[in-house]
Amino acid sequence: MTTDEPAVLLIAHGTRNPAGPTEMGRLCDLLRARLDVPVAAAWLEDFADPDAVSAAARLTEAGARHIVTLPFLVLGAGHAKTDVPAAVAAVRAARPDVPVTHGRVLGLHATLFDLACARVDDVSDDDRADEVLVVTGAGSSDPDANGDLSKAARMLAELTGHRWAEIAYAGVTWPRADALFDRLEGAGVRRVVRFSWSLLAGVLEQRVDRWADEVSARGMLEIRDAGRFGPDPLVADAVVDRYREALEGDARMNCDLCAYRRPLPGFEPRVGAPSAGGAGTALHPSAP
């Protein structure tokens, strides 16, 4: 049956971890329940099926007359800037009769921080003064994407009350997670809460898991695993936001996470208030 509502095509980087496609299937089910439109997923790597053109063909066979392509990527690194646009161009070339509207990566979506906070709270102690928050990622050669992960770690620390936050990667760039864990152990840290800034199960995340297990086995540093985003309803909500944004536009500034839009600890009265214009609180409430 044809539908006038645009279908959704998620384009992800691909994984050799068999749990990844399973989780993607669960996420697609969540999206179908929210949008009531055809939903499909495609992978960029040639070891994962289907590719974007094949997935788009399935959507048109299901009656789609318009497709919204969304990079199912958490940060705007090389995949989002080169590989996904190439896949979208291939879809358009294969089906010139079907309009394709392209959206943006999930990025630092505010809803993802709600989920990350919940994951961290599940494993963290109430007293977080001596607890280090470590946010890990796959790693990229793109400084822009690496900078976004740094921002994510700082924002997450603001929201969870941690006052020592670090980032680490599975590879490609610095610092690698094994080196960071060794450094924290050498500094006398006793407890770490690690959150993986990743969407689906992947082999790079498993590499960091192994490093964490090796350090923990030495008995000097406890590393608590707060997990990752996964096929959660809040992730589906963020995808729906990107879908609607692609179709309707988004007039907001790049301040979805600022203290005037969401209640950050210590700055709750600022939500909805006029900007202080430089005359507001000069120091963070927790600063000495």
Side-chain angles (χ1 to χ4, degrees):
M1 180 181 295
T2 58
T3 175
D4 292 329
E5 293 297 319
V8 177
L9 175 56
L10 299 178
I11 305 177
H13 52 68
T15 177
R16 287 187 169 89
N17 186 334
T22 299
E23 291 184 351
M24 178 65 91
R26 289 164 55 193
L27 178 73
C28 288
D29 288 341
L30 291 171
L31 291 174
R32 293 184 188 100
R34 282 160 170 73
L35 294 171
D36 195 24
V37 302
V39 176
W43 309 96
L44 293 172
E45 278 81 358
D46 56 10
F47 55 74
D49 293 318
D51 61 18
V53 172
S54 300
R58 295 177 188 178
L59 290 174
T60 58
E61 290 167 3
R65 295 174 174 173
H66 181 181
I67 296 174
V68 173
T69 54
L70 296 173
F72 191 65
L73 303 167
V74 75
L75 297 174
H79 278 315
K81 295 174 181 178
T82 59
D83 301 329
V84 171
V88 173
V91 170
R92 287 175 171 151
R95 290 302 306 264
D97 57 318
V98 177
V100 175
T101 302
H102 189 51
R104 60 174 170 144
V105 299
L106 290 180
L108 304 186
H109 193 288
T111 302
L112 296 184
F113 282 92
D114 294 335
L115 180 54
C117 286
R119 298 273 196 258
V120 170
D121 287 344
D122 282 344
V123 301
S124 180
D125 286 349
D126 291 336
D127 181 8
R128 301 175 182 183
D130 298 321
E131 189 173 79
V132 179
L133 174 67
V134 174
V135 178
T136 60
S140 172
S141 60
D142 188 319
D144 181 32
N146 295 332
D148 277 346
L149 189 67
S150 295
K151 180 176 179 179
R154 173 68 192 221
M155 287 299 305
L156 187 56
E158 293 279 359
L159 293 166
T160 60
H162 289 87
R163 291 302 171 255
W164 186 348
E166 299 279 354
I167 58 170
Y169 300 94
V172 182
T173 191
W174 55 270
R176 249 178 42 166
D178 55 343
L180 176 66
F181 293 150
D182 287 343
R183 192 180 311 148
L184 293 175
E185 183 183 50
V189 173
R190 293 292 172 261
R191 187 173 68 250
V192 163
V193 169
R194 170 202 160 207
F195 179 73
S196 178
W197 203 265
S198 57
L199 293 169
L200 301 174
V203 295
L204 293 178
E205 184 183 49
Q206 290 176 319
R207 179 185 301 172
V208 179
D209 290 342
R210 289 194 298 271
W211 290 334
D213 291 342
E214 289 169 3
V215 174
S216 297
R218 296 200 291 256
M220 299 295 291
L221 178 63
E222 178 188 7
I223 302 178
R224 299 182 182 179
D225 185 5
R228 58 187 146 72
F229 294 116
D232 190 272
L234 288 177
V235 175
D237 290 343
V239 173
V240 169
D241 276 354
R242 293 292 185 248
Y243 169 83
R244 290 174 176 157
E245 172 190 301
L247 293 172
E248 301 168 6
D250 184 3
R252 289 174 294 178
M253 295 175 62
N254 60 337
C255 58
D256 288 351
L257 300 172
C258 78
Y260 296 95
R261 295 187 68 91
R262 61 183 290 122
L264 298 180
F267 295 108
E268 290 87 351
R270 287 192 181 185
V271 175
S275 171
T281 304
L283 296 175
H284 191 284
S286 67

